[in-house]
Amino acid sequence: MAIDMSEMLAGVSMDYQSSDTTFSNLYTGEGVPLTNQVLGGQASGTNLLEALEKASFEKGYSLEQVKEDFAQGRRGIVSFDYNGIPETLSYAPVGGTNWLMTYLIRESVIDEQINTISRGIITRSVAQSLLTVLVLMGMFFYIFQQNKKTAHLQLEKETADTEHRIKQEEMEHRIALQEELLSQKEQGQQQNRMIRALSSDYRSVYYLELDKNSGVCYQERTDLPGFKTGESFPYLEAVTAYCNQYVMEPYREEFLKFIQPNAVRKGLEENLVISYRYMISVNGRESWEIVKFAGVRHPDEREDHIVHTVGACFADVDAETRKSLEQQQALSDALETAEQANRAKTAFLSNMSHEIRTPMNAIIGLDNIAINDPETPEKTRGYLKKIGASANHLLNLINDILDMSRIESGRLSIKNEEFSFSELLQTVNTMFSGQCMDKGLEYLCHIRGEVDDYYIGDMMKLRQVLINILGNAVKFTPEGGKVELTVERLAQFENQTTLRFTIADTGIGMSREFLPRLFDTFAQEDSSTTSRYGSSGLGMAITKNIVEMMNGNIEVESEKGVGTTFYVKVTLMNASRHEDGEESIVISPSEMSVLIVDDDPVACEHAKLVLEKAGIAADLASSGAEAIEKVKLRHARREPYNLILLDWQMPEMDGVETARRIREIISHESAIIILTAYRWDDVLEEALQAGVDSFIPKPLFVATVLDEFKSAMKRKGITAGRKQEKAELRGRRILLAEDVQINAEIMSMVLQAREMEADLAENGKIAVEKYESHEPGYYDAILMDMRMPEMDGLEATRRIRAADRPDAQIIPIIALTANAFDEDVQRSLQAGLNAHLSKPVEPENLYSTLESLIKA
């Protein structure tokens, strides 16, 4: 139903009598007001429409909006100014009717109501807040008082607990301290009892302060008058007086030295306790006594590491000392008896060996004569050979017994004389290569590294060692086996060389259990060995003793059924002489360096093996180009090959062309030999022009190589080894120390024969004085007799070597003695002697020795 807003609004009158009047009108749909009540205001009886038309609406409100809301029956609120007074009109539909309820409210009335309400709220809020604050303050005060009271109670409780704990800890500490004091007291009592128990073994005990020379008696002596317990005394004066009164004369001086403070300090620097045993005489009774000193603190506890205070104890050791002396005397008597028996046995064996040797020589000699007699029947000759073999075996046994007796008696001496080492090996190799050939064994000898031609030592004893070991190797190796001897130089220091001889066989071997007893006298692994092979059981014992006397050692490795290897090390003095061959050419295989060139690897390895068997070191090259490169390398290092072995027929570059290229590099410093299986007549001239020295047919043999090498060196006029430079002896000044006038005259004449000047010294002392009185280099050499009055040759040599002079260590000193090779030789070498010449001295030997030792 449409509402006529003009009629509805026209039917509403407003009567504004005051600013707080509120009115309410209700209208029907026809605009007829149900009620029309004006509550008051400025426009009393004024129509609402007229009022609205005169009003000024706020932004967002308009009269058209109000009219439309009334027409549509919608709820709404509108604000406007009427005559400068803000008003608010609220209207809302009445349910079930077509009426709208309107409310016109002045905004000042709303503000006043709101302000009234706000003031009430604020007043109530302030009151509530004050009340809350008061309540909270009361509660806080109450809580504070309660906390304060609680804290006070807690403090009182903690204070009480602390006081209780302190009292408890103090009580526990007192109890622990009391227990510790009781324990220390008990421990002190135990220590005192222990000290009393230990000191019961001593006659007296003293506490000494070495720095203050004072002492305190801790345990007084009861058998002699002396200091009382706790009494102080001057240390040195008291002990010296005791020594002079009671210590017996043979021990008095040593006793006084022992008790000196400095001696005590020095003795206790490294030892916890020092002691001295001596004999005293009290009331005519002699007894053994001992004094002991011990530091109060251990050495590592002393800050300055100096002993200041010590404990001194005197004890009776008469009974145990006399018992010990009796035992020592018994042992000494038993030893003397055993030595006498041993000397008697040795004398018997020695005498018997000599007695048996005389007829044995006759038997062997006659046996040889009979065997070589052409009239001896063949059957008898066979018997004689068996007799000779048995006689030689018996003679070997006698020699072993004699050597063993000499060793046991200490009469076996090692000589030191110059010998040919190459001759020694040649003798041994000749002997055993023949034996091995007869028995069907392979015998090999190798030399590794440099081995000199001459050494100083005992050649006979060294040969005996090698023969003993090699003899066993041949004896215990069955047919088809091998025996091998290898010699090598292990070390060389100053004028000494250590050699090792390795003897290996593939024989029956020995068990490990027997090896520790191998070097015992009469040792045999089983009885069948003696019956089958024959042995005295002395050979290895003798060998071991000889090696040890030569300052060497011997070791053995063996396995049953596999073989045995012995290692013998000996140290020999270097000799100044070397082997002089034809035209001063020396060939030492161990010093040779060879290059083998062959495209056939089998041929190379064979040639190397053959040369190495002779102790010659060899390099391999499989072609001419490789050989040239190796030669260049060695030439750059100034280590040229002594010999180059070239195969003739090689691919790419044959032997002749290779030789030509090598000669362009090294000229003639190496020998070149063509090794071929073909005839070389067609290329001989070309090869010689290329620089080839010789030809050798294949297969290669060491002897042939060495002979051709030696011939090549001779043609070239050079030596294969190092030539020994010899000093000119004319005009040399020699200091001769000789106390025997006739010997001095003879030696002076020998020296003058080579225009040398001899300065004679009658003994070693004068020799040292003459040496020191002249400037360095005045004497070229010294000939020193060993046995001279006032000062012997050994002491004189030591004095000279110890002199502070530039020539003290280099001047040659040569021993002249009638017994130059006895056991004193080792000591003389240690004294600094260079060589030994036995009297009567052979002039040539003297000259050659001087030539080699004097600096050229």
Side-chain angles (χ1 to χ4, degrees), residues 413-417 419 456-462 550:
S413 61
I414 299 297
K415 297 179 180 180
N416 281 288
E417 56 186 356
F419 68 92
I456 296 176
D458 196 325
M459 184 188 70
M460 299 299 294
K461 293 294 186 293
L462 182 57
M550 298 174 70

Side-chain angles (χ1 to χ4, degrees), residues 3-16 22-28 30-39 43-53 66 70 80 82 89-91 99-104:
I3 298 175
D4 188 354
M5 289 298 301
S6 62
E7 292 179 358
M8 183 179 65
L9 295 173
V12 178
S13 62
M14 301 178 61
D15 185 10
Y16 294 96
T22 301
F23 63 91
S24 175
N25 294 313
L26 290 174
Y27 294 85
T28 63
E30 287 79 9
V32 181
L34 250 137
T35 63
N36 187 4
Q37 180 181 6
V38 179
L39 301 179
S44 174
T46 301
N47 188 274
L48 179 61
L49 179 61
E50 295 175 354
L52 291 174
E53 289 177 349
V66 174
F70 270 77
F80 57 88
Y82 184 79
L89 176 65
S90 176
Y91 46 90
W99 290 76
L100 292 173
M101 178 67 72
T102 63
Y103 301 92
L104 183 64

